[in-house]
Amino acid sequence: MKVGYIQNSPEFGEKEKNFKDVFNLVGDLKADLLVLPELFATGYTFKSEKEAEKLAEDKNGLTSRFLKDLSRKTSATVVAGFAEREGDKIYNSSLIVSRGKVIDTYRKIHLFNKEKLWFSPGNKPLKVYDIDGVKIGVMICFDWIFPEVSRTLALKGAQIIAHPCNLVLPYCQKAMTTRCLENRIFAVTANRVGNEKRGKDDFTFTGGSQITATDGKVLSSASTEESQIDIIEIDESKANNKAINDYNDVFADRRLEYFEL
Ligand code: ACM
């Protein structure tokens, strides 16, 4: 199957411009799975809860409409970050969209830094989506630092983790080689580039979007500064084999009796 990332450089609050930039980056490309960054259309560096509220949408809003169009245009399942409003709560979420339809949203479980000031922590279980026979799990950015997230998704059958990000620290890409190796899964980490200087915050996003294989090999690595799209062919069925040699299997060999706290 063909999987890829779209690494964009959003301008804070300028959704329409950011949609157009993504559309232009994609051109006529087709894929089976495309992952976009966390909060790819709003930008990241909110100054207040009010600001986050203003840019948040429900799962059938403007961003959803754009992603539905993108999924039709590319034939891909699209996973992309947005600020989700439900009732009086706002979540740092990802939409999962396929064939012009919203499948679900994932709400980031582990909020990073000041995200805790404007977002509520995710309140839905980690889930694996079977889309056209491919098992896709979703986590968002800082979820990577908790190995339990990738492990849970892998144990639930995920072959690929779609991983929208807005990374400002340099550790994640290297860590994803371990996350993939220890679970024998693929991951598509879609990061953004650019800088946001807002209020007291000044963030430079580190790009380097990455596709990582079940053996920890980096199959694609994006620029640290430029917007970029890459789509590659993978054999997702490799993620079904948890053996690393004739004698070891990363799932079957776990000594659960020693994992008690
Ligand atoms: C992050 O979770 N955006 C670092």
Side-chain angles (χ1 to χ4, degrees):
M1 66 182 287
K2 284 177 153 184
V3 302
Y5 53 75
I6 301 173
Q7 173 170 294
N8 71 332
S9 182
E11 196 170 318
F12 189 89
E14 299 297 325
K15 285 186 195 173
E16 292 294 350
K17 176 189 180 298
N18 299 330
F19 293 154
K20 204 182 276 174
D21 285 351
V22 168
F23 230 65
N24 291 339
L25 262 176
V26 169
D28 293 327
L29 293 173
K30 303 274 178 202
D32 298 298
L33 172 66
L34 283 173
V35 185
L36 286 89
E38 177 181 13
L39 298 166
F40 83 95
T42 56
Y44 181 80
T45 318
F46 299 98
K47 287 191 202 162
S48 65
E49 201 175 347
K50 218 177 213 137
E51 200 175 55
E53 244 169 51
K54 229 168 75 185
L55 289 166
E57 303 169 24
D58 69 28
K59 65 178 183 181
N60 298 306
L62 262 189
T63 301
S64 170
R65 216 174 310 154
F66 169 75
L67 294 173
K68 287 180 208 166
D69 287 347
L70 191 68
S71 82
R72 281 192 212 100
K73 174 179 157 75
T74 59
S75 312
T77 296
V78 176
V79 179
F82 80 122
E84 180 183 12
R85 185 189 305 116
E86 191 191 60
D88 60 356
K89 296 241 166 39
I90 303 168
Y91 301 94
N92 183 347
S93 295
S94 282
L95 272 159
I96 300 115
V97 177
S98 193
R99 297 187 201 286
K101 286 205 178 87
V102 172
I103 308 274
D104 203 359
T105 64
Y106 164 70
R107 296 172 175 164
K108 187 177 186 178
I109 292 175
H110 301 100
L111 297 174
F112 178 72
N113 202 349
K114 289 188 187 170
E115 289 172 30
K116 292 191 177 189
L117 303 182
W118 19 93
F119 293 121
S120 294
N123 59 352
K124 300 202 288 194
L126 293 162
K127 220 167 137 182
V128 172
Y129 303 93
D130 186 332
I131 302 176
D132 300 329
V134 180
K135 307 252 173 35
I136 300 170
V138 181
M139 66 180 187
I140 299 179
C141 207
F142 192 54
D143 282 330
W144 73 264
I145 211 166
F146 304 91
E148 295 89 345
V149 176
S150 309
R151 180 63 107 200
T152 301
L153 290 170
L155 287 171
K156 287 187 170 193
Q159 296 167 309
I160 308 169
I161 293 184
H163 184 204
C165 284
N166 271 193
L167 294 160
V168 290
L169 298 174
Y171 313 112
C172 173
Q173 288 88 341
K174 276 198 185 112
M176 287 311 293
T177 65
T178 306
R179 294 290 164 272
C180 288
L181 180 61
E182 68 198 359
N183 292 296
R184 313 296 289 182
I185 50 169
F186 292 91
V188 181
T189 298
N191 194 18
R192 60 163 287 184
V193 289
N195 174 270
E196 280 180 4
K197 201 168 183 163
R198 308 197 74 248
K200 287 190 186 135
D201 291 317
D202 183 355
F203 291 131
T204 298
F205 299 91
T206 56
S209 294
Q210 179 171 299
I211 303 174
T212 317
T214 56
D215 57 0
K217 205 163 148 190
V218 174
L219 302 176
S220 172
S221 177
S223 151
T224 53
E225 281 165 21
E226 306 291 328
S227 292
Q228 193 177 332
I229 176 166
D230 193 24
I231 297 167
I232 63 163
E233 186 84 33
I234 63 162
D235 176 2
E236 72 282 6
S237 73
K238 283 193 177 155
N240 302 341
N241 179 10
K242 303 301 179 188
I244 50 176
N245 57 40
D246 287 347
Y247 300 93
N248 293 110
D249 178 298
V250 293
F251 280 7
D253 279 3
R254 289 174 308 130
R255 304 286 306 278
L256 298 180
E257 66 273 34
Y258 290 105
F259 295 173
E260 295 263 330
L261 295 178

